[in-house]
Amino acid sequence: QVQLVESGGGLAQPGGSLRLSCVASGAGLTLPYYGIGWFRQVPGKRREGVSCIDRRDNSTYYADSVKGRFIISRDSAQNTVFLQMNALKPEDTAVYYCAAVPVFSTAQVMCTAEGYGAMDYWGKGTLVNVSS
């Protein structure tokens, strides 16, 4: 069964860093051929698009809340997408999910509710807790 698996979450202090990984598990899901989105969700709130990367030109999008602090990247050889999170804030605390879609308009739209609804594959999430 093809699925996405996130890892790298955990407890971090404000100002600290974490690197999340998204790996495809199972045959047939080659991540360089997919647009990838990182979304996060806090209980009681809507899932938020954090950062997305387009498969065609690797263009990226970041939500205003993380711009300048988070970096999304691919390692095609490892079939992995990363989310480097720096200068973490308590408000970054959430469950982080990665998702994949083969074709979508732009990285920016991929990170909206429209993109969220179009994703073909989702991981089960990894918890990030930013606290002192």
Side-chain angles (χ1 to χ4, degrees), residues 14 74 125 128:
R74 295 182 185 269
V128 171

Side-chain angles (χ1 to χ4, degrees), residues 66-85:
V66 307
K67 199 172 295 183
R69 300 188 297 122
F70 290 11
I71 301 171
I72 189 171
S73 62
R74 295 182 185 269
D75 185 324
S76 297
Q78 297 184 47
N79 203 26
T80 302
V81 176
F82 300 102
L83 184 68
Q84 178 67 42
M85 305 189 298

Side-chain angles (χ1 to χ4, degrees), residues 14-106:
S17 298
L18 288 172
R19 188 175 77 159
L20 305 185
S21 299
C22 174
V23 178
S25 173
L29 187 57
T30 305
L31 294 188
Y33 297 149
Y34 286 79
I36 303 296
W38 282 99
F39 297 81
R40 67 186 181 188
Q41 190 167 24
V42 175
K45 293 190 176 182
R46 293 189 306 175
R47 197 167 290 192
E48 172 191 18
V50 175
S51 181
C52 293
I53 184 166
D54 190 290
R55 74 170 183 90
R56 291 163 294 189
D57 59 3
N58 283 328
S59 58
T60 58
Y61 168 82
Y62 298 93
D64 287 343
S65 57
V66 307
K67 199 172 295 183
R69 300 188 297 122
F70 290 11
I71 301 171
I72 189 171
S73 62
R74 295 182 185 269
D75 185 324
S76 297
Q78 297 184 47
N79 203 26
T80 302
V81 176
F82 300 102
L83 184 68
Q84 178 67 42
M85 305 189 298
N86 302 318
L88 284 164
K89 303 176 180 180
E91 51 263 43
D92 294 320
T93 295
V95 177
Y96 284 72
Y97 301 87
C98 68
V101 62
V103 179
F104 212 73
S105 58
T106 66

